[in-house]
Amino acid sequence: MLTQIEWWGGVIFVLGALTYRMVMGALEKPVGGIPWYRLMMHVFFLAPAALLAGYFYPLTQPALQYGYLALLAISLLVVAVMLVQEMTGDSGEGEEGGGSKEPLKEGQTAEADDYEEPGWLMSVVGAIVLYSPVLTACGLACFKAWPMVQPLL
């Protein structure tokens, strides 16, 4: 029988994996260059998943504790960067899909006019779905890391 924390940890892992799959499936691979945004999304989901996995194990060796703290710092930094990108509207992807500035001919319709921006409610729901597993994992990791940080202060 699973304890409540193990059960909720499993739910967080499943929700995080489903969100990760949806987001990474929606991002297109660039043809050339380094896919910085895709790399950030990988780190954004996988670092908190590793933190959540480490939350359930005792970290008795100093090397494991320092590694956990380093992973927590990386995870919090990437989450902060992603939140800033979310707030400023900078997705990191190019504007290749943007319409041209040329005037339309008589028989043409603008594809950009057919696309409607989601409302604020759907934006909030999307942010909750995207950030809830990551923020929960980071919160639990901060709770576990606090006793490790206190002797360092």
Side-chain angles (χ1 to χ4, degrees):
M1 185 85 177
L2 294 175
T3 64
Q4 284 189 353
I5 190 68
E6 290 171 334
W7 190 86
W8 282 109
V11 169
I12 293 168
F13 258 109
V14 169
L15 180 62
L18 289 175
T19 307
Y20 172 77
R21 184 69 183 151
M22 287 188 324
V23 169
M24 293 313 292
L27 292 176
E28 297 178 8
K29 286 188 176 183
V31 176
I34 299 172
W36 291 109
Y37 192 69
R38 287 183 62 84
L39 180 65
M40 286 286 286
M41 290 304 289
H42 283 297
V43 174
F44 176 73
F45 284 109
L46 298 178
L51 287 173
L52 187 62
Y55 178 79
F56 296 106
Y57 295 100
L59 303 174
T60 56
Q61 298 175 351
L64 290 175
Q65 292 175 354
Y66 288 130
Y68 193 78
L69 292 174
L71 186 60
L72 178 60
I74 290 168
S75 181
L76 290 175
L77 179 67
V78 170
V79 167
V81 167
M82 295 302 284
L83 282 171
V84 167
Q85 284 183 348
E86 184 79 25
M87 296 301 170
T88 61
D90 180 24
S91 67
E93 293 294 309
E95 296 293 329
E96 299 92 15
S100 65
K101 300 290 181 189
E102 299 175 10
L104 297 175
K105 295 180 182 173
E106 288 182 17
Q108 293 178 336
T109 60
E111 289 180 20
D113 292 340
D114 295 339
Y115 176 74
E116 295 181 18
E117 289 289 324
W120 67 270
L121 180 62
M122 289 311 296
S123 296
V124 169
V125 169
I128 289 171
V129 168
L130 180 64
Y131 289 103
S132 64
V134 172
L135 291 177
T136 303
C138 288
L140 288 172
C142 287
F143 179 73
K144 180 174 183 159
W146 180 244
M148 291 183 243
V149 172
Q150 284 178 338
L152 299 175
L153 298 177

